[in-house]
Amino acid sequence: WYQRRVRVMRGAGCTVNDIWDIDIDKRVARTRGRPLASGALSKPQAVNWLLIQLACSSLILFSLNKTTIVLGLASLGLVAVYPRMKLLTDYPQAVLGLTFNFGALMGYTAYTGSLLSLTPLALYSAGICWTMVYDTVYAHQDKADDRIVGVRSTALRFGDQTKPILSKFIAGFGWALFLAGLAAGMGPTYFVTSFLSSCMLLRGLSLVDLNRPHSCWEFFIMNKNIGLLVRLGAIVGNFL
């Protein structure tokens, strides 16, 4: 039930992002074909769809405990401001990390009613580090157009130092997963899969060509396997 709410809210976040970015998307080669930028969908239609998504999400949110409701309402602020961060800071990927991984906190409180544990905070930190990695590489796809239209990103900020810097975030991702597992009393399987996920990220980062958009896209898509591996470890690690 809670997972449905996460999916709906992530969809709402994407809708907000496309509404805010409609003028930018029209000027970037990769995003010109998006429904709003291409004119296939009007802005009023997108707003109506956003309202439906928020309504569905609210129905689920208000069926949860008070702590989770407060966190859910707080997350709306991050969802709303993230799209503007691309014009205000060189680190919009960090804001995306704070926004996109809020579910780590809410998922924990939905089951326990409290945040008084290292586990959700460590998971949240791991998610932020992970987002910094995959979304920085993702942003390298558009860096030529972004320089022209004025969009800011960690891809432009890190430049030639992207791989060394992201390697440190991968290390943070691995350590945060390790701490979360220790705090939660997970079994060996969890730690093995967490280590493997970090190794996969490092391997992918070493192979990606940041000057080839298709290579960046392949790295980005590869991250779904990272997520599946971490999830498998979290499930099986409860028993083995």
Side-chain angles (χ1 to χ4, degrees):
W1 185 246
Y2 169 74
Q3 289 180 353
R4 291 188 184 126
R5 194 260 172 188
V6 172
R7 293 191 188 100
V8 173
M9 272 309 298
R10 285 192 171 184
C14 291
T15 303
V16 170
N17 186 67
D18 282 3
I19 291 173
W20 275 109
D21 285 356
I22 182 171
D23 292 330
I24 294 173
D25 286 346
K26 290 177 180 178
R27 301 166 64 190
V28 176
R30 185 180 58 82
T31 57
R32 284 176 193 146
R34 289 179 176 175
L36 281 170
S38 67
L41 190 70
S42 69
K43 188 176 287 189
Q45 287 175 316
V47 171
N48 288 337
W49 175 235
L50 174 62
L51 292 175
I52 292 171
Q53 289 174 304
L54 292 176
C56 292
S57 178
S58 297
L59 287 174
I60 300 173
L61 177 63
F62 286 106
S63 70
L64 303 173
N65 59 58
K66 185 177 179 180
T67 304
T68 308
I69 292 172
V70 171
L71 286 173
L73 294 175
S75 72
L76 292 176
L78 288 170
V79 171
V81 303
Y82 162 65
R84 291 293 91 184
M85 292 299 103
K86 301 171 193 175
L87 302 177
L88 300 176
T89 175
D90 289 336
Y91 301 94
Q93 281 69 29
V95 181
L96 178 64
L98 292 170
T99 307
F100 215 51
N101 297 287
F102 221 75
L105 305 180
M106 293 179 62
Y108 192 84
T109 61
Y111 283 99
T112 68
S114 172
L115 269 179
L116 299 179
S117 171
L118 175 62
T119 302
L121 299 178
L123 282 175
Y124 188 46
S125 299
I128 293 170
C129 289
W130 185 24
T131 303
M132 286 293 294
V133 174
Y134 68 70
D135 205 58
T136 296
V137 173
Y138 182 85
H140 270 277
Q141 295 180 100
D142 303 324
K143 56 189 175 184
D145 286 334
D146 286 349
R147 288 191 184 98
I148 296 171
V149 302
V151 170
R152 300 162 74 176
S153 71
T154 48
L156 294 176
R157 178 68 177 181
F158 297 162
D160 293 339
Q161 292 301 306
T162 291
K163 288 192 177 185
I165 293 172
L166 293 189
S167 295
K168 294 179 174 64
F169 279 104
I170 293 174
F173 166 75
W175 276 110
L177 285 180
F178 177 75
L179 291 174
L182 281 183
M186 301 297 284
T189 302
Y190 169 84
F191 295 101
V192 171
T193 55
S194 296
F195 177 72
L196 289 175
S197 66
S198 297
C199 291
M200 287 174 64
L201 271 178
L202 281 171
R203 172 70 172 167
L205 184 64
S206 70
L207 294 175
V208 67
D209 184 344
L210 298 175
N211 293 312
R212 290 181 57 239
H214 183 67
S215 181
C216 295
W217 175 251
E218 287 182 332
F219 175 88
F220 178 75
I221 291 298
M222 178 270 293
N223 278 266
K224 68 181 179 183
N225 296 325
I226 304 293
L228 288 171
L229 186 59
V230 171
R231 183 173 184 177
L232 176 64
I235 294 172
V236 179
N238 278 296
F239 310 101
L240 298 171

